Amino acid sequence: MSQREPDKREEKLAGEGIAIRHPVFLWFENLWYHYKWTILMVAFFLFVTIVCLVQCTTTPHKDVYITFGGSYTMTSEEKTAVERVFAEVSKQTFGEEALAVGVTDYPFYTEEELRALYTDPETGDFNGAAYNMAKGMNVNRLKELSSYMETGDCSIWLVNTSVYEAQHMSEKLAVPLANIFETTPAGAYDEYAIRLGDTAIYQYYEALQVLPADTLIVLTHPYFMGASSNEETYTQFKALYKAIVEFQAP
């Protein structure tokens, strides 16, 4: 007896169990198999780029920056309050053409200050692990600050004596006070820097008093690049610096 040939209905049912994959899907599958890590890396850098662009476009523009490099870590609220103080000075100095002033910060501590931060004042116990981690970050911040100084984007600096000396500011960067003021201001640390705590602006604005009183105010020479390389911008830096030092309480 000969076998019965399947009719067309049975052939149709059998065919319905076969999954037909679209060529485009097969192409993506093959691409992912061979270039998975490349795709992931490209996606990661694309994501970082987009985030940075969004931050740049949403961050308010600042005309000039004042940089703090000292023995204190400001909260975002404290930094905003410090910016408001300098914005007020800018308004008093430039009137309707007041500059938008931003503050950048690179907290830097001496070894003694770091040890004190990680030593329990009551028991005297020292957290060596936390100290070593903080010490590494401290060194990195000083390197970042040093690199930033070479961008020319800032000419007004609030630094502690350690940063002042480590960066050789009096020898290479700072403008002599005699080139700016007719008489040496009160609180002069040397021929180039002034102690913040001895200024009227520090004593008047409580927002500034979160910064150590022995912080030094320094004006640096214009750089060959960056904002300070622009003659008009540097003139504004100099005028703002002078206004900060000569501030008188109303």
Side-chain angles (χ1 to χ4, degrees):
M1 176 183 253
S2 62
Q3 290 185 327
R4 181 175 64 85
E5 295 183 0
D7 57 26
K8 293 182 178 180
R9 184 175 61 84
E10 291 175 333
E11 288 179 351
K12 183 179 179 182
L13 291 173
E16 289 177 349
I18 301 174
I20 299 177
R21 308 177 76 181
H22 196 281
V24 174
F25 178 82
L26 292 174
W27 180 82
F28 275 114
E29 186 179 59
N30 184 63
L31 183 69
W32 177 257
Y33 178 79
H34 290 286
Y35 301 102
K36 176 173 64 178
W37 294 112
T38 301
I39 293 172
L40 289 174
M41 290 180 66
V42 170
F44 171 75
F45 286 111
L46 182 61
F47 172 77
V48 171
T49 301
I50 292 173
V51 170
C52 290
L53 286 174
V54 170
Q55 289 180 338
C56 289
T57 55
T58 56
T59 300
H61 170 72
K62 303 297 182 182
D63 296 313
V64 295
Y65 282 92
I66 295 175
T67 301
F68 172 72
S71 311
Y72 186 72
T73 302
M74 287 185 280
T75 65
S76 59
E77 292 79 11
E78 288 171 338
K79 184 189 292 188
T80 299
V82 171
E83 287 181 335
R84 288 198 190 103
V85 171
F86 293 133
E88 181 62 27
V89 176
S90 174
K91 184 177 180 180
Q92 295 172 6
T93 305
F94 302 106
E96 294 182 357
E97 298 180 356
L99 304 173
V101 183
V103 172
T104 56
D105 61 325
Y106 297 86
F108 180 78
Y109 300 85
T110 64
E111 185 171 348
E112 292 73 22
E113 289 169 337
L114 276 181
R115 285 188 171 275
L117 287 174
Y118 293 97
T119 300
D120 190 309
E122 296 182 359
T123 64
D125 292 339
F126 177 64
N127 190 334
Y131 165 79
N132 288 330
M133 182 178 295
K135 185 176 181 179
M137 295 173 64
N138 200 48
V139 171
N140 288 336
R141 279 194 296 268
L142 182 59
K143 291 179 180 178
E144 291 171 358
L145 175 57
S146 179
S147 296
Y148 182 60
M149 284 184 174
E150 296 178 358
T151 66
D153 280 338
C154 180
S155 294
I156 302 175
W157 307 84
L158 304 174
V159 297
N160 62 16
T161 54
S162 296
V163 171
Y164 183 70
E165 293 168 2
Q167 299 302 311
H168 306 287
M169 297 185 75
S170 63
E171 301 168 24
K172 302 187 301 182
L173 305 173
V175 177
L177 298 177
N179 291 9
I180 307 169
F181 307 97
E182 292 183 4
T183 58
T184 303
Y189 174 76
D190 59 13
E191 297 177 28
Y192 303 89
I194 300 167
R195 289 183 72 258
L196 178 63
D198 292 331
T199 62
I201 193 171
Y202 183 84
Q203 296 163 13
Y204 181 74
Y205 286 105
E206 187 176 345
L208 288 181
Q209 294 168 16
V210 299
L211 306 179
D214 59 358
T215 299
L216 304 178
I217 313 175
V218 183
L219 177 72
T220 51
H221 290 286
Y223 208 56
F224 71 91
M225 64 178 185
S228 66
S229 66
N230 181 284
E231 185 176 351
E232 181 180 355
T233 302
Y234 185 75
T235 299
Q236 294 172 329
F237 266 123
K238 188 175 180 179
L240 182 60
Y241 168 80
K242 197 169 185 289
I244 290 171
V245 174
E246 295 182 335
F247 174 87
Q248 294 297 321

